[in-house]
Amino acid sequence: MAVYEGYGTPVFHRETTTGMGAQLVLLGLLWTAVGLGPAGWLTGAVFAVSTWVVLTRALRRSWTRSFGPANGVTLARAILVGGVTALVADSFVRQPSVAVLVALATVALILDGVDGQVARRTGTATPLGARFDMEVDAFLILVLSVHVATALGPWVLLIGAMRYAFVAAARVLPWLNGALPPSTARKAVAASQGIALVVAAADVLPRAAAFAVVLTALALLVWSFGRDIAWLYRVREIPATAGAAASGTTVPEVTAPEVTAPEATVRQAA
């Protein structure tokens, strides 16, 4: 994912404002198509405004000169996630439209691999873009886990909450901020979370089978987080200079400002 950065240049908010407008249009379409109720409208509107505020502030702080095509893809995914969020909120007061919810979530998951490719091909990958991509992924998994939990039990919420719990823990244990090495297994586990939750939400499997699928996804998630946390714990005690010189290896850099979580719930740009 990417945001093209430049210093001393104004921030253009046309894309973020357009995104908020597109979110409201999607809510209107859901109202027309499936009868989205007040709970869904309110939740979707809060999501739209919150996304606009947070993204606009982040762009201003980064002195971004151009929004960039990759961020455009991620913003489209955020709009779809807003639609899923509205439908899940509405499902607490009325029968949800499972087909529409699953369709929106599926497209959002598919597009997850697009923004990273666009960023690399256009040479516009930045930490801000990656963080935007990460947060959209995390929130989609959280919302899907809330929806599936109503059918399979509160334990499903662990899938959506684990990444946020890690971020909270990193504020108390700074060594959790350490940068993790690339991992194909981590990416595979991350992808499995969204797939498992969408399959369970689609209600196409018997309850026992859906239970097994989501439980397996959670077990893989716990393993992935546990492996990464153990790695971060081991390297935390190695001095950044002396330890590296003695071993002849490069010690991962610790970046305090931002948390680089074990991206098992938040997929890295594919």
Side-chain angles (χ1 to χ4, degrees), residues 40-252:
W41 263 105
L42 178 60
T43 304
V46 170
F47 179 91
V49 174
S50 299
T51 300
W52 178 82
V53 170
V54 172
L55 184 56
T56 299
R57 291 182 61 188
L59 290 168
R60 183 182 296 115
R61 288 196 302 268
S62 70
W63 290 91
T64 299
R65 186 171 64 188
S66 173
F67 193 69
N71 276 331
V73 176
T74 306
L75 182 58
R77 292 179 53 235
I79 293 169
L80 295 174
V81 172
V84 173
T85 303
L87 289 171
V88 170
D90 211 44
S91 70
F92 286 96
V93 295
R94 66 182 71 228
Q95 183 66 29
S97 176
V98 174
V100 176
L101 188 154
V102 169
L104 293 177
T106 299
V107 175
L109 290 173
I110 292 173
L111 288 178
D112 184 38
V114 175
D115 46 14
Q117 294 181 18
V118 172
R120 289 190 294 271
R121 291 179 180 179
T122 56
T124 54
T126 67
L128 173 60
R131 184 63 181 269
F132 183 25
D133 183 35
M134 183 186 303
E135 297 302 337
V136 171
D137 289 340
F139 198 78
L140 175 59
I141 297 301
L142 176 62
V143 171
L144 287 175
S145 68
V146 169
H147 179 67
V148 175
T150 61
L152 299 183
W155 62 270
V156 180
L157 295 174
L158 292 173
I159 293 178
M162 199 167 298
R163 187 258 174 175
Y164 295 101
F166 180 90
V167 172
R171 295 182 178 274
V172 180
L173 304 171
W175 54 268
L176 290 174
N177 289 314
L180 291 164
S183 171
T184 301
R186 187 186 305 122
K187 292 180 180 180
V189 171
S192 71
Q193 305 306 305
I195 294 172
L197 290 171
V198 166
V199 169
D203 200 22
V204 294
L205 297 176
R207 189 178 188 279
F211 191 98
V213 167
V214 178
L215 184 61
T216 300
L218 176 59
L220 290 172
L221 184 64
V222 171
W223 168 81
S224 182
F225 267 92
R227 185 187 67 157
D228 287 340
I229 291 172
W231 187 89
L232 290 170
Y233 181 80
R234 288 196 302 270
V235 303
R236 97 197 196 285
E237 296 180 340
I238 301 177
T241 54
S247 63
T249 58
T250 301
V251 178

Side-chain angles (χ1 to χ4, degrees), residues 12-20 52 55 59 66-68 72 75:
F12 299 118
H13 304 304
R14 180 179 60 186
E15 290 85 353
T16 56
T17 302
T18 300
M20 182 173 64
W52 178 82
L55 184 56
L59 290 168
S66 173
F67 193 69
L75 182 58

